[in-house]
Amino acid sequence: MNNREKFIEWMINNSGRSKNTINKYASAIATMSRELTEHSTINIDIYKVVDSIEIHRIKEQYLEIDELREKDERGNRMYTSSLIWYQKYLEEDKKLNTLVKDNSNEYSIVYEKKVKGEFTISEGTKQWKRDRAVVDRSIEFSNNKCEYDDKHEYFISNKSGKNYVEGHHLIPMKYQDNFEYSLDVEANVVSLCVVCHKILHLGRIEDKVNIISKLYQLRINSLELSGLEISLDELIDLYK
């Protein structure tokens, strides 16, 4: 069960609205994600936001765009109303900023500050230990899609039976000393097809920039929640 489905289930149990209205609210949130991407520099999936305060910021950003504000007014404020209900859903959840693990054993994502892990020294270089479960959760949360382009599907993994993708630390682990908190967290691990992953490791910087820029916009909010502050220019410099 993904977060959209959980929101719908919560609305059915708590809102008193009809199923038709609830489905309209759920679709409105998905539409707002797309419209914010089309009308601004924001690139975000609202259903991946689990901080109710951030939802309030998103609503303000939406209303700052004249075309979208007028559309919301024509629609009797259905779009902003859907965000208000989504915010209530998050606030009433027992584990704020968490996608709760359900009975189907769905992975949970928690955006929080995490202390740095352990490291070893190999030939004078620090090698920071990584938690494989962090990568697995990030891949599961992406529905085994490439986060740069979800149409990048090259082959089915023999192990998972799903589209093959790989986990990648957006802020490379070798720069852990530059940050107060751990880089080995879900906020910093993106799911990529094998081609995009190889480009980030082996490609020319001019080919890396578009990928890095999109991934940065997708993750900037969750990175901040995890105590990882970095500008886009600073991130790009790490790949040069």
Side-chain angles (χ1 to χ4, degrees):
M1 185 183 292
N2 58 38
N3 214 31
R4 174 174 175 162
E5 292 167 342
K6 291 177 183 177
F7 171 58
I8 291 173
E9 182 178 69
W10 179 87
M11 287 285 288
I12 291 171
N13 294 329
N14 296 276
S15 71
R17 298 296 193 271
S18 69
K19 185 65 179 295
N20 183 53
T21 298
I22 290 170
N23 285 332
K24 285 182 178 179
Y25 280 157
S27 296
I29 291 174
T31 298
M32 292 176 80
S33 297
R34 184 180 68 253
E35 290 177 334
L36 281 168
T37 299
E38 292 174 350
H39 289 82
S40 69
T41 58
I42 301 170
N43 193 335
I44 190 169
D45 180 348
I46 295 173
Y47 280 118
K48 290 187 178 182
V49 176
V50 291
D51 181 358
S52 62
I53 296 175
E54 186 61 27
I55 293 299
H56 179 71
R57 295 194 189 104
I58 290 171
K59 185 176 73 172
E60 290 182 336
Q61 291 168 328
Y62 188 86
L63 293 175
E64 286 175 357
I65 301 171
D66 292 341
E67 181 178 340
L68 301 184
R69 183 180 65 255
E70 292 168 3
K71 177 182 177 181
D72 186 47
E73 291 173 354
R74 291 195 304 272
N76 295 318
R77 303 190 187 281
M78 181 186 72
Y79 293 94
T80 48
S81 293
S82 68
L83 280 186
I84 291 171
W85 278 109
Y86 187 68
Q87 187 174 28
K88 288 180 180 179
Y89 154 69
L90 293 176
E91 289 172 347
E92 291 186 17
D93 188 81
K94 292 181 180 179
K95 295 181 179 179
L96 192 61
N97 295 335
T98 303
L99 291 178
V100 183
K101 182 180 286 187
D102 63 15
N103 292 331
S104 65
N105 200 33
E106 178 179 326
Y107 286 112
S108 59
I109 295 291
V110 181
Y111 298 127
E112 60 182 2
K113 297 173 183 177
K114 179 180 173 183
V115 298
K116 297 179 184 181
E118 299 178 349
F119 63 86
T120 58
I121 302 294
S122 177
E123 298 181 354
T125 302
K126 281 185 179 180
Q127 300 290 334
W128 293 90
K129 292 185 178 180
R130 309 177 187 202
D131 184 354
R132 177 65 203 184
V134 171
V135 171
D136 290 341
R137 283 192 291 268
S138 298
I139 289 175
E140 182 75 10
F141 189 53
S142 76
N143 293 319
N144 291 76
K145 298 289 187 180
C146 174
E147 292 188 61
Y148 175 66
D149 187 336
D150 60 12
K151 296 182 179 63
H152 288 179
E153 296 184 354
Y154 294 103
F155 64 92
I156 301 300
S157 167
N158 184 55
K159 180 179 179 180
S160 69
K162 300 177 181 179
N163 179 53
Y164 179 80
V165 287
E166 299 173 339
H168 173 76
H169 288 79
L170 186 57
I171 304 173
M173 285 295 295
K174 66 181 179 180
Y175 296 107
Q176 178 63 83
D177 277 332
N178 297 348
F179 294 85
E180 181 179 358
Y181 296 102
S182 176
L183 296 178
D184 193 32
V185 291
E186 288 86 348
N188 189 44
V189 176
V190 293
S191 172
L192 295 174
C193 70
V194 65
V195 175
C196 289
H197 197 187
K198 290 299 183 184
I199 289 173
L200 289 186
H201 282 286
L202 304 173
R204 303 175 302 172
I205 187 60
E206 52 264 41
D207 295 323
K208 297 178 183 181
V209 169
N210 285 340
I211 298 175
I212 296 169
S213 298
K214 180 172 182 178
L215 296 175
Y216 178 80
Q217 293 301 325
L218 287 173
R219 293 305 184 95
I220 182 172
N221 293 324
S222 50
L223 285 172
E224 290 177 355
L225 288 172
S226 298
L228 304 175
E229 297 185 6
I230 188 170
S231 70
L232 176 58
D233 288 340
E234 289 171 334
L235 181 60
I236 291 172
D237 282 343
L238 298 183
Y239 283 83
K240 291 180 179 178

